[in-house]
Amino acid sequence: MSGISVRGASKVYAGRHGETVALEGVDLELPEHSMTALIGASGCGKSTLLRLLGDLEQPTTGGVLVGGRPPHELRRQGRIGVAFQDAALLPWQSVRKNIALSVRASGRKVDWAEVDHLVRLVGLEGFADARPGQLSGGMRQRVSIARALALRPQLLLLDEPFGALDELLRTQMNIELQRIWLEQRSTTVIVTHSVGEAVFLADRVVIMGARPGRVVDVVDVPFPRPRDAELLRSADYHALCDEVSARLAAAIGGEATTPAAPAGAHAPAGVGA
Ligand SMILES: Nc1ncnc2c1ncn2[C@@H]1O[C@H](COP(=O)(O)OP(=O)(O)OP(=O)(O)O)[C@@H](O)[C@H]1O
C-alpha cells in the first residue's frame, strides 16, 4: 500500500531573516503505483513537498500519509527510494558499492546481480568499479537513481534526476525509467522543470504556484504505456505539452511559452528508441 494522501500541508522554514512559507494548504491524492510529475517555477516548494513525502522534513501543519501510514514507517523499512539533485555518493566507494549502500542501510542482503543489472540499466557498464570523483555530474546522478531503485522502493522520489543530462541521454533515461517503473511499479513522484519530460513520464502533472507554494492545477496524461520515442513526435503529445505549458504560465503569471518547454520543441528531434 503506497498511495499518497497530503492533507492541508504547510511548511514554514524559520531563518535568520524571518520565515519562509514554502508550502501552504497543499491537498493531494496520488494513487498507488502511479507516476506523478511536479512542475512549477523555481522556489514554489516542489523539493519541499518531495521531502515531506519522503519523511526528510515534517509539515508545519497538516499531514502526509503513504498507504494510510506516516511515511517514517515506510522509510524505516527502507522502502522509500530518493534521488535528489546533489547525488550524495560516498567518494571512496565504487559505483557498485554506492548503489548497494541503500540496500545495506536498510538491513537487507545485497543482491549483487541486481546491482550489476542496475549499473547496466543506467548506462554505466565499464564504470562499476570507478569512484564518484571519476564520473561526470550526470553519471553521478545516474548512480544515485540506481541506488534508489536498488531498494525496490514502494515510494520513489526523484528531484530533477535528469536535469544535468543532455537532451538525447535525458530522453533515453526517461524511456528507461518508464521501463523500470513498469517493472517495479513504485508509486513515483518526480520533480522536473521540463514540461516535455513531465508529459512523457507521468500519469498526472501537478502544477505548483509560488508565494506561497501550493498546488494550482492538475493535468491528467492519457497516453497508454509503454510510451516510446514515437509518442514524442506525435501531435497529441505536443498538443498536451502546449496545454500544460499554458496552464503552467497561468500558474506562475508568465508568458504562454516557458524556457523549460519551448512550443513545438518539447522533445529532441530524431530520437530513436
Ligand atoms: N532548509 C530551508 N531553510 C529555509 N528555507 C528553505 C529551506 N529549503 C527551502 N527553503 C525555501 O523554501 C522555498 C521553496 O524551496 P524549494 O526548494 O522547495 O523550491 P523548489 O520549487 O524545489 O525550487 P527549485 O525549482 O529552484 O529547486 C524557497 O523560498 C526556499 O528558499
Side-chain angles (χ1 to χ4, degrees):
M1 292 280 286
S2 53
I4 294 169
S5 173
V6 181
R7 297 268 168 85
S10 73
K11 179 69 187 176
V12 180
Y13 290 109
R16 264 184 296 165
H17 306 292
E19 292 187 333
T20 303
V21 183
L23 292 173
E24 192 173 84
V26 173
D27 292 306
L28 208 52
E29 298 290 329
L30 305 176
E32 187 173 27
H33 307 309
S34 62
M35 167 95 80
T36 300
L38 299 181
I39 61 169
S42 182
C44 70
K46 301 178 295 296
S47 301
T48 299
L49 180 53
L50 216 58
R51 295 177 72 80
L52 296 189
L53 300 179
D55 188 47
L56 301 169
E57 300 272 6
Q58 301 310 313
T60 307
T61 63
V64 175
L65 295 175
V66 180
R69 316 285 303 165
H72 70 83
E73 292 188 13
L74 210 53
R75 189 153 83 94
R76 242 195 347 244
Q77 295 161 6
R79 292 295 176 189
I80 301 183
V82 297
F84 286 175
Q85 272 159 303
D86 47 349
L89 305 176
L90 296 182
W92 61 89
Q93 296 276 28
S94 67
V95 163
R96 281 176 101 232
K97 286 191 173 160
N98 266 289
I99 293 173
L101 200 69
S102 58
V103 179
R104 277 221 173 106
S106 73
R108 278 180 272 156
K109 194 168 175 296
V110 176
D111 177 346
W112 289 103
E114 168 79 2
V115 170
D116 289 335
H117 174 65
L118 287 167
V119 168
R120 285 193 298 279
L121 212 59
V122 296
L124 288 174
E125 54 273 82
F127 292 90
D129 296 316
R131 301 284 182 275
Q134 299 168 280
L135 306 177
S136 71
M139 290 161 100
R140 285 199 292 273
Q141 194 71 53
R142 281 181 274 156
V143 177
S144 99
I145 293 164
R147 186 179 55 188
L149 293 169
L151 284 170
R152 297 200 154 259
Q154 286 181 30
L155 182 59
L156 179 64
L157 305 172
L158 304 171
D159 196 348
E160 290 188 59
F162 308 127
L165 304 185
D166 65 65
E167 280 283 283
L168 187 65
L169 192 52
R170 186 173 183 148
T171 303
Q172 286 168 352
M173 289 300 297
N174 282 172
I175 291 168
E176 277 305 305
L177 174 63
Q178 179 197 220
R179 197 171 62 70
I180 298 163
W181 176 78
L182 286 169
E183 258 178 41
Q184 295 196 350
R185 278 290 181 172
S186 312
T187 304
T188 300
V189 182
I190 178 169
V191 168
T192 177
H193 281 282
S194 162
V195 169
E197 182 168 84
V199 170
F200 179 76
L201 283 173
D203 299 317
R204 78 188 49 68
V205 180
V206 172
I207 299 173
M208 295 181 65
R211 284 182 284 280
R214 66 209 186 284
V215 172
V216 291
D217 207 348
V218 178
V219 181
D220 288 324
V221 180
F223 306 126
R225 297 183 191 271
R227 300 172 186 169
D228 57 18
E230 205 167 306
L231 174 68
L232 295 173
R233 293 186 283 268
S234 73
D236 286 350
Y237 168 79
H238 285 277
L240 190 55
C241 286
D242 288 344
E243 165 86 20
V244 172
S245 291
R247 286 161 79 161
L248 174 63
I252 63 180
E255 296 291 312
T257 300
T258 70
H266 301 290
V271 175

